[in-house]
């Protein structure tokens, strides 16, 4: 019997009943009854067949499970009956979950999550500098050698960026590479997926002809070949062997690094394993040594190694060092915006469901009156909300993965470059967002059911409108909508401020004419006849022979990318002026550099190679910072390491419009050296100013290659594009803010539509009476619009009150604008008012078109 | 579940069915209902059909077994019989009934 389907049991019961009735009829006939009388008595004696059959079915089945299944079917049926509301509520929840999960995934990867290395809490980024600002992360070989002797360190890892170009068929492939000390992979806990990595214990793995590549490069460039280990890669002037492949989650020292070569601080100058310029250092501090003690020990080692006594070492946790304050501010603000939008969308979904369930309060009261137990009402409401919440969570999960994929592709490089964590969906965030959103939705759906079940005790009261509980519950959606509209207004104002800021950034003067300028990176072999720089300089002359080229120049460093960055304490030749700690963009240039870029010389003259390597041109703001004035031709200054410069002239500043003007470093221009330097090649930049319009960059590149066949030429970029890339973060922030504003406004409008429809429906009788007494449809429509107007005015007042704290938050991420911008407010109020007006159209029209007779006839 | 106005106290119908099957052996539904009527001397007004939900319940519990037989009129009919588990359940219910009866008797005696 156990496990038999109730239907089969009922079918057997029917057979039994037939036999039972037959026997009863036989007995009555034997007692003398007629056939008809016997049949009647038999059935009377048996009882109510229908009720008994139901009892048999209940006894054979699982009543609780069947009741639950019935509730589920009823809930699904109700969801389908009001599909539009269910769909809108589910989609609102989906968008809320997706936005919150995506934003936290980004914030977690960039700000919160420690680096994915072994014991990240003991891994510190090292920077050095004067006691007031030990912030220079770019360290020379001598400094690194001194630091590694400090007690309390398990390891001092060093990484030097090294762009690489290798040949893939007839294509030059440019990848970001790095020299790293051999212990990096073992100490960071990186297990190769193919082959092996560097090891200080195995000399064969730390030679200059081996490399480790990333899984991404292995898959995209080498087709995930199984025989990658031991294969060779052709670099300029050398050939290297692939030692191993590391997993794609390992990104170090930047997110773009894909090839690693071993670094040896003790290698002779010019060796491939010795860093040519500066490097970054990462200290693995012993677990038993506090970071402060390790920091002090490293400072002592540095000073003992010959550094100035005022030099200090600073250790910072590896996660947050690379993110600049502007990006941190933007991420935090965006996270706050997402949290508000999450609340708005969830409250909107909740308001929709609250209104829908309240429309059924009379039905629920009726069910309670007829005997439906309270738990059945609550269970049905619970199942109904669960169906909608599940729809939202499932769609939200899919949307999250899509959004993270989009963010991964569109995140400004200046942010993704600095992240050591891969951007992947965070399951915990998804679960929390789904739980919170679903909880809000289900709670609002359960409230009317809870009030409805109270009709069990007082059905006559629940069947009347206007009870105290009803009035309190009735104001909830209205208050929610006012809150949502205020939030939407604030989001619009914030977005308007961001766009205004971006417009100011784009329109700001750059100090040079960025149009018709194209830059190429040149890799010039040092074994060229006459020397690499002679070749590079003559290349500029030959490149200018193109009919579309006005002039060209060679340099090390091409605006806006500096050739070198100096972190220095600068002392002028004025004894009354104290030294100044500065970060300086340095360019090594030929005399025609200034004309090519259109940089105006304000005083003095340009420096030439005949003036010597220390005769320079200063930017105006740098001259002011060192001497307090601009007329400084012929003056001299020096760095703390003793290097002295003589100023031959002062040029106009080159500006990179940034939100924080303090981050726009001043410039100095040194003469391009005539020596070739060590190593097989040198990096130089060729800048071309075109005539009326620039030909296609590929055409220009071919022309340049033809002028110097032995020189490798990069793809080329327009200088204007590089400047615009510099505002990619403010542009992204403005786009995100605009997206939030749109979502917020649409969400508020949707919620307003629901509330107005409910308000209009609840006043139908009143409208019917008014129409019957002579009111015009226009005046009825005005009642509805008046509700909108009152809510809008209230929202504006609430927004104004909240504008001040928002303004303080936005202050750090806006350029030449503020939260008090009247234009931003006007536009935002207009946008929200327009959305509210659109939401009012339908309810007002429906109320105005109602027939008094119909309205008054309805209960 | 339909129970006549006179009423079989809730839960005792199972006891009556099990006891009848123990005494009479295997019976079909009509025979069971008629036997219960006869033993109660018609003082218990029980709609005959009301034993069928109880029979389904007892069969689900494993207290009774079923088989198909033929009625006096030649129609296929389900025949119910007591299982070993049913015998055990009957003994337990009899003990419970005796305990309840003794308790009520003591109470009435004390009150009088």
């Amino acid at each position: 019997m156990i496990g038999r389907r109730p239907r089969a049991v009922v079918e057997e019961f029917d057979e039994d009943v037939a036999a039972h009735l037959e026997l009863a009829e036989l007995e009555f006939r034997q007692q003398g009854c007629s056939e008809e009388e016997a049949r009647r008595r038999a059935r009377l004696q048996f009882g109510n067949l229908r009720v008994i059959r139901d009892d048999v079915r209940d006894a054979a089945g699982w009543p609780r499970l069947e009741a639950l299944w019935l509730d589920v079917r009823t809930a699904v049926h109700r969801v389908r009956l009001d599909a539009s509301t269910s769909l809108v509520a589910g989609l609102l929840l989906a968008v809320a979950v997706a936005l919150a999960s995506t934003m936290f995934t980004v914030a977690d990867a960039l700000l919160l999550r420690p680096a994915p290395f072994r014991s990240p809490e003991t891994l510190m980024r090292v920077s050095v500098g004067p006691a007031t600002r030990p912030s220079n992360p770019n360290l020379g070989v001598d400094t690194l050698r001194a630091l590694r002797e400090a007690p309390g360190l398990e390891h001092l890892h060093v990484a030097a960026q090294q762009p690489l170009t290798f040949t893939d068929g007839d294509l030059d492939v440019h990848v970001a590479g790095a020299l790293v000390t051999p212990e990096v992979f073992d100490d960071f806990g990186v297990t190769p997926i193919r082959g092996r990595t560097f090891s200080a214990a195995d000399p064969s793995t730390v030679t200059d002809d081996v490399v480790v590549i990333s899984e991404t490069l292995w898959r995209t460039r080498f087709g995930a070949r199984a025989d990658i280990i031991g294969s060779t890669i052709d670099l300029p002037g050398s050939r290297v062997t692939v030692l191993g492949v590391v997993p794609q989650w390992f990104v170090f020292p930047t997110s773009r690094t894909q090839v690693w070569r071993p670094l040896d601080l003790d290698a002779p100058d010019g060796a491939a394993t010795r860093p040519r310029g500066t490097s970054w250092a990462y200290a693995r501090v012993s677990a038993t040594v506090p970071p402060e003690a390790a920091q002090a020990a490293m400072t002592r080692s540095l000073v003992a190694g010959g550094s100035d006594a005022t030099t200090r070492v600073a250790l910072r946790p590896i996660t947050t060092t690379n993110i600049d304050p502007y990006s941190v501010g933007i991420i935090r603000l965006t996270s706050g915006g997402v949290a508000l939008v999450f609340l708005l969308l969830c409250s909107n979904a909740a308001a929709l469901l609250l209104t829908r369930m309240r429309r059924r309060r009379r039905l629920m009261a009726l069910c309670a009156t007829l005997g439906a137990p309270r738990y059945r009402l609550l269970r049905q409401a619970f199942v109904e909300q669960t169906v909608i919440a599940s729809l939202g969570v499932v769609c939200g999960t899919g949307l999250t993965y899509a959004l993270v994929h989009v963010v991964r592709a569109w995140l400004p490089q200046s942010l993704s470059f600095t992240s050591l964590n891969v951007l992947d969906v965070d399951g915990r965030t998804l679960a929390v967002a789904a739980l919170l959103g679903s909880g809000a939705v289900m709670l609002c759906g359960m409230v009317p059911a809870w009030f409805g079940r109270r009709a069990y005790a007082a059905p006559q009261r629940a069947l009347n409108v206007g009870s105290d509980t009803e009035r309190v519950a009735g104001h909830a959606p209205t208050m929610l909508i006012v809150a949502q509209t205020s939030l939407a207004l604030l989001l619009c104002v914030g977005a308007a401020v961001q766009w205004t800021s971006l417009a100011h950034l784009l329109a700001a003067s750059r100090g040079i004419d960025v149009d018709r300028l194209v830059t190429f990176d040149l890799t010039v072999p040092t074994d060229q006849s006459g020397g690499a720089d002679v070749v590079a300089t003559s290349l500029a002359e030959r490149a200018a022979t193109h009919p579309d080229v006005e002039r060209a120049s060679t340099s090390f460093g091409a605006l806006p990318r500096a050739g070198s960055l100096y972190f220095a304490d600068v002392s002028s030749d004025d004894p009354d002026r104290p030294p100044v700690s500065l970060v300086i963009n340095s360019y090594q240039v030929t005399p025609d550099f200034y004309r090519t870029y259109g940089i105006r010389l304000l005083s003095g003259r340009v420096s030439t190679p005949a003036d010597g390597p220390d005769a320079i041109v200063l930017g105006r703001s740098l001259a002011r910072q060192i001497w307090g004035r601009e007329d400084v031709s012929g003056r001299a200054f020096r760095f703390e390491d003793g290097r002295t410069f003589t100023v031959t002239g002062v040029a106009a500043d080159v500006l990179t419009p940034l939100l924080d003007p303090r981050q726009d470093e001043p410039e100095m221009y040194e003469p391009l050296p005539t020596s070739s330097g060590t190593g097989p090649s040198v990096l130089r930049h060729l800048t071309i100013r075109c005539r009326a319009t620039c030909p296609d960059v590929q055409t220009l590149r071919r022309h340049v290659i033809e002028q110097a066949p032995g020189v490798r030429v990069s793809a080329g970029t327009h200088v204007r594009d590089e400047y615009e890339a510099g505002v990619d973060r403010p542009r992204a922030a403005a786009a995100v803010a605009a997206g939030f504003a749109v979502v917020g406004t649409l969400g508020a409008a949707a919620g307003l539509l629901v509330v107005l429809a409910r308000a209009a429906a609840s006043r139908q009788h009143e409208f019917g009476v008014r129409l019957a007494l002579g009111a015009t449809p226009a005046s009825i429509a005005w009642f509805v619009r008046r509700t909108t107007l009152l809510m809008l005015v209230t929202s504006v007042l609430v927004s104004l009150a909240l504008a001040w704290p928002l303004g303080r938050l936005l202050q750090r991420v806006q350029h030449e604008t503020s939260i008090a911008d009247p234009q931003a407010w006007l536009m935002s109020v207009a946008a929200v008012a327009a959305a509210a007006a659109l939401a009012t159209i339908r309810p007002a029209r429906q109320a105005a078109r109602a027939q008094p007779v119909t309205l008054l006839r309805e209960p | 579940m339909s129970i006549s106005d006179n009423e079989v106290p809730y839960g005792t119908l199972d006891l009556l069915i099990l006891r009848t099957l123990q005494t009479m052996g295997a019976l079909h539904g009509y025979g069971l209902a008629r036997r219960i009527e006869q033993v109660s001397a018609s003082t218990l007004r029980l709609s005959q059909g009301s034993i069928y939900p109880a029979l389904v319940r007892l069969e689900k519990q494993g207290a009774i077994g079923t088989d198909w037989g033929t009625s006096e009129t030649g129609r296929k009919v389900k025949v119910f019989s007591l299982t070993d588990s049913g015998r055990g359940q009957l003994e337990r219910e009899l003990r419970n009934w005796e305990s309840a009866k003794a308790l009520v008797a003591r109470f009435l005696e004390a009150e009088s």
Side-chain angles (χ1 to χ4, degrees), chain B residues 17-25 82 87 90-91 94:
Chain B
I17 293 172
L18 292 174
R19 181 63 170 175
T20 304
L21 290 175
Q22 185 193 44
T23 310
M24 301 298 295
L82 197 62
R87 289 191 185 85
L90 175 60
E91 286 173 17
L94 282 172

Side-chain angles (χ1 to χ4, degrees), chain A residues 725-781:
Chain A
V727 293
D728 56 354
R729 287 172 301 162
R731 184 182 287 120
V736 168
F740 286 164
V742 168
V743 168
T745 305
L746 288 178
L752 189 62
L753 176 65
V754 169
V755 166
L756 288 177
R758 183 188 68 83
S762 68
R763 298 178 69 179
Q764 279 184 339
H765 276 92
E766 178 191 341
F767 292 156
V769 170
R770 288 180 183 273
L771 287 169
L773 292 176
T776 60
S779 63
I780 299 299

Side-chain angles (χ1 to χ4, degrees), chain A residues 111-256:
Chain A
L111 291 184
L112 303 175
R113 202 189 319 162
F117 308 138
R118 184 183 69 82
S119 304
E121 67 281 359
T122 59
L123 202 54
M124 304 282 174
R125 179 80 180 264
V126 180
S127 56
V128 169
T132 51
R133 196 170 81 163
S135 58
N136 180 15
N138 302 301
L139 310 176
V141 169
D142 293 335
T143 303
L144 293 165
R145 284 176 180 158
L147 287 173
R148 70 180 175 183
E149 304 305 324
L153 295 185
E154 288 187 6
H155 294 288
L156 183 72
H157 302 293
V158 179
Q161 293 187 73
Q162 187 184 64
L164 295 172
T165 302
F166 66 88
T167 309
D168 184 7
D170 60 350
L171 281 176
D172 279 349
V173 180
H174 303 282
V175 295
L179 294 174
V180 292
T181 41
E183 308 85 4
V184 158
F185 295 102
D186 283 342
D187 188 49
F188 283 18
V190 181
T191 303
I193 60 173
R194 288 280 191 282
R196 53 200 177 125
T197 56
F198 309 139
S199 169
D202 184 353
S204 69
T205 65
V206 292
T207 58
D208 60 1
D209 59 352
V210 295
V211 294
V212 170
I213 65 173
S214 68
E215 180 183 354
T216 304
L217 185 67
W218 173 53
R219 291 187 185 282
T220 56
R221 278 291 167 193
F222 298 102
R225 283 166 31 195
D227 61 345
I228 187 66
I229 305 303
S231 61
T232 57
I233 300 175
D234 287 324
L235 301 178
S238 66
R239 176 173 285 181
V240 294
T241 304
V242 178
L243 186 69
V245 179
V246 291
Q248 63 185 11
W249 63 260
F250 179 67
V251 289
F252 179 81
T254 72
S255 63
R256 295 207 298 243

